[in-house]
Amino acid sequence: MKNKVEKRRYPRVPLDWPVVVITPKGAIMGKTANISVNGLALLLFLETPVIDDEFKITLKSSEGYEMSVTCQKLWSDIINLDGYVYSGLGVRFIKISSSDRETIASIVGKYFLS
C-alpha cells in the first residue's frame, strides 16, 4: 500500500486491537478502529456508555504487548459497521509512556512504508 496520502496532523492507520475502557461503573470491552501517536478511535460493545471526559484504557497489541493509557474523550457517536452497531469514541492520549508512544509510532510508520 505505498503512496498512501494522509492529511491529518497525526496520521491514523486502521487497527483492530482489543481494548478495555475503565470507568467508575466497571470495564467496557471494545476494539480499536484506528490509531495514531496522539490518539485513537474506539468501537465499544455497549450502547451509549457513560464515560467521563478523562478515563483510562488498556490496549493489547496483536503481538501481546499491553499498554495502559489515560485518554481524553473528543467525540462520541453511534457507528454502524459491517452490520454491527457500536458506540464510537474518539480519544486523545493525555498520559502515555514514551515506550508505548514509540511502539505506536513504529506501527504507524510501518503502515505508510508498506
Side-chain angles (χ1 to χ4, degrees), residues 61-76:
S61 76
S62 52
E63 294 81 26
Y65 181 76
E66 198 167 287
M67 300 178 210
S68 183
V69 181
T70 302
C71 300
Q72 177 185 27
K73 180 172 69 174
L74 299 177
W75 60 264
S76 64

Side-chain angles (χ1 to χ4, degrees), residues 45-75:
F45 307 134
L46 180 67
E47 287 189 40
T48 57
V50 176
I51 296 178
D52 295 333
D53 286 337
E54 189 176 307
F55 56 94
K56 291 187 182 228
I57 64 171
T58 301
L59 301 160
K60 193 166 199 173
S61 76
S62 52
E63 294 81 26
Y65 181 76
E66 198 167 287
M67 300 178 210
S68 183
V69 181
T70 302
C71 300
Q72 177 185 27
K73 180 172 69 174
L74 299 177
W75 60 264

Side-chain angles (χ1 to χ4, degrees), residues 82-96:
D82 299 328
Y84 296 96
V85 177
Y86 298 96
S87 292
L89 193 64
V91 303
R92 173 179 29 217
F93 301 139
I94 55 176
K95 291 181 186 170
I96 181 171

Side-chain angles (χ1 to χ4, degrees), residues 8 24 29 59 65 74 95-96 98 102-103 110:
R8 293 182 176 106
M29 305 303 290
L59 301 160
Y65 181 76
L74 299 177
K95 291 181 186 170
I96 181 171
S98 57
E102 287 173 17
T103 298
K110 286 178 187 174

Side-chain angles (χ1 to χ4, degrees), residues 12-18 31-36 40-41 43 59-62 67 104 107 111:
R12 298 180 196 166
V13 298
L15 192 65
D16 185 1
W17 284 356
K31 64 181 182 175
T32 58
N34 61 52
I35 194 165
S36 77
L40 54 83
L43 300 173
L59 301 160
K60 193 166 199 173
S61 76
S62 52
M67 300 178 210
I104 294 169
I107 291 164
Y111 179 83

